Amino acid sequence: MKPDRLNALTDGVVAIVLTIMVLELKFPEEATLGAVMAVLPLLGAYLLAFIYVAIYWNNHHHMMQSAKNVTGAVLWANHSLLFFLTLFPLMIRWIDEAGPTPWPVASFGLVLVGASICYVLLERALINAEGDGSGVASALGHGAKEWISFGGYVVAVPLAFVSPTISIGIYIAVAFLWLVPDRRFERRL
């Protein structure tokens, strides 16, 4: 299979995830500052989830430009990544209903842990499909940003039961790490 079909599927799923996420948003109940303040946690969760979905899509897009072969392992790794990305609307809904409390914040982190693992599995599957001399392998190198991100998520999950605010801060810090586009694939191309 050519990477184009996998990209088309991923694009479609990401578009649906983003659409569902925006549908979870609520207008303030009245035109007052207090009503606006009441929806800020939901807007913050939406913004952070949107940024994470965009980060994964951007990096997926760049990585797939270097890929030449898609195997069954690549398909399953990609589907696994998409599974975790589709959980973001659920996390937004939970944060809306329960607030930024320990369980929803920790669960948001578990979604990030799962997506992180699946993205690395996708990288490895693409390398295995083409060999160690592949464009994906040469662009990735050691993957320091991936390991730093994964470590941040793993630390933030149990920390949510001590301070959800600190965990959210870690999620935001890791997102900032990735907001600078990953140039590894662009340099290779």
Side-chain angles (χ1 to χ4, degrees):
M1 175 189 293
K2 300 278 185 193
D4 296 346
R5 293 209 49 207
L6 182 66
N7 288 336
L9 171 71
T10 302
D11 291 349
V13 172
V14 167
I16 291 167
V17 166
L18 295 176
T19 301
I20 293 170
M21 284 182 4
V22 77
L23 293 174
E24 290 296 326
L25 295 180
K26 295 178 184 171
F27 285 103
E29 292 182 14
E30 42 188 65
T32 64
L33 180 59
V36 171
M37 296 301 284
V39 297
L40 282 182
L42 174 62
L43 291 174
Y46 168 76
L47 177 61
L48 189 58
F50 184 94
I51 289 169
Y52 267 108
V53 171
I55 287 167
Y56 275 104
W57 184 84
N58 286 342
N59 288 317
H60 184 278
H61 172 74
H62 283 107
M63 181 169 58
M64 292 307 293
Q65 286 182 331
S66 294
K68 304 290 182 247
N69 296 320
V70 173
T71 63
V74 170
L75 290 173
W76 280 110
N78 195 75
H79 289 320
S80 298
L81 173 63
L82 293 176
F83 168 77
F84 281 98
L85 296 183
T86 63
L87 293 176
F88 279 113
L90 179 63
M91 296 299 100
I92 291 172
R93 186 178 315 132
W94 195 7
I95 290 170
D96 177 39
E97 292 175 7
T101 56
W103 279 105
V105 171
S107 297
F108 191 95
L110 287 174
V111 170
L112 292 171
V113 167
S116 176
I117 290 169
C118 292
Y119 190 83
V120 171
L121 290 174
L122 178 58
E123 290 174 344
R124 298 296 148 220
L126 286 166
I127 291 169
N128 289 339
E130 298 178 22
D132 290 334
S134 72
V136 174
S138 64
L140 285 175
H142 298 294
K145 279 172 77 171
E146 287 93 336
W147 285 108
I148 292 168
S149 302
F150 178 75
Y153 304 146
V154 167
V155 166
V157 169
L159 198 54
F161 296 97
V162 176
S163 171
T165 304
I166 293 173
S167 293
I168 293 168
I170 292 170
Y171 304 150
I172 291 169
V174 173
F176 272 110
L177 177 69
W178 287 98
L179 282 179
V180 174
D182 192 349
R183 302 267 187 244
R184 296 177 291 183
F185 289 101
E186 290 177 0
R187 283 192 293 261
R188 183 183 173 306
L189 294 173

